[in-house]
């Protein structure tokens, strides 16, 4: 699937699950998309790789430099630390919500559905997540499913790094489809 001309933001900060940023970054670039790693500050962010700190990843744009209008989709890697830090950042939440409100693709894996809860996007949607936040997702009004990838009108969720191939394939498919004009508001 060719994503030439499409632009995708991966929003993350320190403590992202290594594979959940690197695999989508690689797959989406391989599909032809321009992919920017967007974060709170410039420089590098450091991943979490299973049981210890992982490799740093270069930040392409800060949230102050990024605009939702410039992107066709946003990818939200998980890990416990990364989404927990981002969900208290108003600029991060606004960036996610602006992309959602423009009816563009929003993809979250592992613990990143916490960000969909915080923005109100989760309410009334079919979703999945890492099993330890299943109750959080359900309490936010989402219909939690145990599946490798769940899609609800362009909102894509997956459970863990083992689901990344299905997650990335679904992102490519949904970005190819374009805006989800039938999407109901969160």
């Amino acid at each position: 699937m060719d994503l030439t001309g499409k632009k995708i933001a991966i929003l993350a900060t320190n403590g992202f699950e290594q594979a959940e940023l690197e695999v989508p970054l690689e797959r989406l670039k391989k599909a032809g998309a321009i992919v920017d790693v967007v974060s709170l500050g410039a420089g590098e962010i450091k991943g979490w790789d299973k049981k210890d700190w992982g490799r740093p990843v270069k930040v392409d744009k800060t949230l102050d430099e990024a605009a939702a209008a410039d992107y066709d989709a946003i990818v939200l890697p998980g890990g416990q630390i990364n989404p927990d830090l981002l969900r208290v950042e108003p600029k991060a939440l606004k960036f996610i919500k602006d992309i959602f409100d423009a009816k563009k693709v929003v993809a979250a894996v592992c613990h990143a559905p916490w960000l969909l809860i915080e923005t109100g996007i989760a309410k009334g949607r079919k979703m999945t997540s890492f099993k330890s936040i299943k109750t959080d997702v359900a309490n936010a009004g989402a219909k939690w499913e145990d599946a490798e990838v769940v899609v609800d009108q362009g909102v894509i969720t997956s459970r863990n790094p083992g689901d990344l191939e299905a997650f990335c394939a679904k992102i490519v498919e949904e970005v190819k489809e374009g805006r989800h004009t039938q999407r109901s508001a969160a």
Side-chain angles (χ1 to χ4, degrees):
M1 292 270 235
D2 184 25
L3 294 184
T4 301
K6 301 295 185 182
K7 200 163 179 191
I8 300 172
I10 297 179
L11 177 62
T13 191
N14 291 310
F16 62 86
E17 179 66 38
Q18 200 77 42
E20 293 173 0
L21 188 150
E22 290 179 342
V23 172
L25 177 65
E26 176 189 308
R27 297 294 188 282
L28 295 169
K29 282 184 172 181
K30 189 175 179 185
I34 297 164
V35 185
D36 287 337
V37 174
V38 178
S39 193
L40 303 171
E44 293 180 335
I45 52 176
K46 198 164 202 176
W48 187 262
D49 198 359
K50 298 173 187 77
K51 297 184 187 226
D52 204 352
W53 289 102
R55 296 171 296 285
V57 171
K58 180 184 171 291
V59 171
D60 298 303
K61 290 191 175 184
T62 66
L63 274 167
D64 289 332
E65 299 166 330
D70 295 339
Y71 296 98
D72 298 291
I74 187 167
V75 177
L76 304 168
Q80 290 174 294
I81 301 167
N82 168 59
D84 198 39
L85 292 173
L86 289 175
R87 67 180 172 164
V88 296
E89 291 291 338
K91 287 180 185 177
L93 299 175
K94 182 179 183 329
F95 186 57
I96 296 164
K97 190 77 164 84
D98 287 351
I99 288 174
F100 174 82
D101 288 345
K103 304 191 183 313
K104 298 174 183 179
V105 174
V106 175
V109 61
C110 191
H111 287 75
W114 270 337
L115 295 163
L116 305 184
I117 292 168
E118 202 63 40
T119 55
I121 293 169
K123 188 173 185 179
R125 300 212 175 280
K126 292 184 298 180
M127 290 175 53
T128 194
S129 66
F130 194 72
K131 61 187 173 190
S132 69
I133 67 165
K134 172 185 176 180
T135 302
D136 298 348
V137 172
N139 285 344
K143 297 171 199 94
W144 193 88
E145 297 179 11
D146 186 14
E148 66 180 358
V149 66
V150 175
V151 184
D152 188 325
Q153 297 180 329
V155 177
I156 304 165
T157 51
S158 282
R159 302 171 298 193
N160 57 55
D163 298 336
L164 285 173
E165 290 305 320
F167 181 66
C168 293
K170 191 53 79 173
I171 294 168
V172 170
E173 179 184 322
E174 292 290 311
V175 170
K176 286 285 286 181
E177 284 181 13
R179 290 184 189 230
H180 291 75
T181 55
Q182 304 301 81
R183 179 189 289 160
S184 55

